[in-house]
Amino acid sequence: MKNVGGGERALRALFGSSFVLLDFFATIQLELVFLIVGLWGVFTSAFGYCPFNSLLGRNTCAIKYEEPSK
């Protein structure tokens, strides 16, 4: 189930890839932090799902999914 909408996905991809590029110019201490934050943004953008959005009950995706009936 996706919970990240189109506009937010674009911003996550932009900021995530910027952090990954910034990682190449960072010092050793900040390199791992920039890489983790950047990859998190890129992966959540690519898959359209963010676990933190689920925990907060936040959904910016325009597509509404219905629960399967039993």
Side-chain angles (χ1 to χ4, degrees):
M1 182 161 133
K2 296 183 185 253
N3 63 4
V4 180
E8 186 177 352
R9 286 177 82 173
L11 285 175
R12 284 176 185 250
L14 178 70
F15 285 119
S17 57
S18 333
F19 271 97
V20 170
L21 288 175
L22 189 62
D23 169 55
F24 290 110
F25 302 109
T27 62
I28 296 295
Q29 293 83 7
L30 291 175
E31 188 172 347
L32 187 61
V33 173
F34 284 148
L35 185 63
I36 290 171
V37 170
L39 288 177
W40 180 266
V42 170
F43 285 144
T44 57
S45 172
F47 294 119
Y49 176 77
C50 179
F52 292 126
N53 278 358
S54 291
L55 288 174
L56 295 173
R58 189 169 174 258
N59 186 354
T60 59
C61 187
I63 301 171
K64 302 297 179 196
Y65 294 96
E66 295 183 19
E67 295 293 323
S69 56
K70 293 182 179 180

